[in-house]
Amino acid sequence: MKLVAPSAALAPFVRAFMLVEVDEETTHVRLPELGLVLGVRDRGAASVLDGESASRLPDAMLSGMTSTARLMRTSAGGRITLALFRPGGAAAFFPQPLHELFGQTSTLLDLVPRADVERLSTRIAEASDDATRVAALESMLLERCQTAVLDPVVAAAVRALEEARGAVRIGALARHLGISQDPLEKRFRRAVGATPKQLASLLRLRHALEAWRPGSSLAELAQQAGYFDQSHFTRELRAVTGQPPGRFLRSSARR
């Protein structure tokens, strides 16, 4: 896996480009992202596993926000180029209400003209190196950029949630921004693809997991991340990953 910083023009909207290439078939848990994810796969295939069933992902796709982790299987020789959007960043490129994509992975053909998707896929497949693949995705996004300004209220709400690492009461946040909670949540869901509470929960969980080290005390970790107590942290992590903290953290340490 390789992360590449976006150009200055895309930096307000895209957190990073990610290039993933695997030699052998792999199965791993993918934690929820903090923004939508655009991906173009030019080699192999990937599927989301759910019990005994497997749902193949489109080769050119846009994944909406989700509140739970996904178990993913990538075939041997798989390769994909991804754009990881910042919270609210995808709204500059896709006019659809983004909460309608929550929990879904849509084929890019449903959102972008077929000719544009085929041109992008061809450019990435024919690229000779990672830089050229990233440049192809950047070019497509710059062509689609519909606004250089994020919804100012939503942007302020996202910034406050990020600065507090999710430890914010949404009602208090709305009052601070001078807006009622209901219209804030509607504007937020449309632009970010999730509710403020859902994003806050993901930010807090991500903070806790990034701070974890082998031998860390779960109680101290929970307190530092803003949970009420260790049991609160345990419930949230289990709800997202389907695993108790000990098992999930041990498996994460091995990857």
Side-chain angles (χ1 to χ4, degrees), residues 9 17 29 42-44 48 61 72 74 84 103 111 128 144 149 161 175-176 190 204 210 216 230 253-254:
F17 292 98
V29 174
D42 65 301
R43 290 183 186 171
V48 175
M61 63 186 186
M72 297 187 61
T74 301
L84 309 180
L111 305 165
S128 58
R144 285 190 58 81
V149 181
L161 290 170
R175 290 192 294 273
H176 174 72
R190 181 182 181 92
R204 183 170 52 197
E210 289 168 1
S216 297
Q230 182 179 333
R254 291 195 296 268

Side-chain angles (χ1 to χ4, degrees), residues 80-232:
I80 190 169
T81 306
L82 302 161
L84 309 180
F85 290 105
R86 297 183 185 278
F93 310 93
F94 301 97
Q96 298 83 357
L98 295 182
H99 64 275
E100 295 179 356
L101 301 179
F102 187 85
Q104 306 293 321
T105 296
S106 300
T107 172
L108 204 56
L109 292 170
D110 290 342
L111 305 165
V112 177
R114 177 176 291 274
D116 294 346
V117 175
E118 292 177 348
R119 182 169 63 251
L120 172 63
S121 298
T122 299
R123 288 186 63 188
I124 288 178
E126 294 178 348
S128 58
D129 52 38
D130 290 343
T132 308
R133 279 184 281 276
V134 170
L137 199 49
E138 276 208 311
S139 177
M140 176 267 196
L141 290 174
L142 288 170
E143 290 173 1
R144 285 190 58 81
C145 191
Q146 299 179 12
T147 174
V149 181
L150 299 174
D151 181 321
V153 172
V154 173
V158 168
R159 187 163 54 250
L161 290 170
E162 290 178 329
E163 290 174 352
R165 295 168 174 166
V168 174
R169 293 186 179 276
I170 307 307
L173 174 61
R175 290 192 294 273
H176 174 72
L177 296 174
I179 187 173
S180 299
Q181 185 169 341
D182 184 60
L184 169 63
E185 292 188 343
K186 287 180 178 177
R187 288 168 66 171
F188 196 99
R189 289 173 64 235
R190 181 182 181 92
V192 175
T195 68
K197 183 177 180 180
Q198 287 168 330
L199 180 60
S201 295
L202 292 178
L203 284 164
R204 183 170 52 197
L205 182 62
R206 286 261 180 185
H207 171 55
L209 295 178
E210 289 168 1
W212 179 82
R213 298 292 182 273
S216 297
S217 163
L218 291 182
E220 292 179 359
L221 192 64
Q223 183 180 30
Q224 293 170 2
Y227 290 95
F228 295 124
D229 51 30
Q230 182 179 333
S231 63
H232 182 204

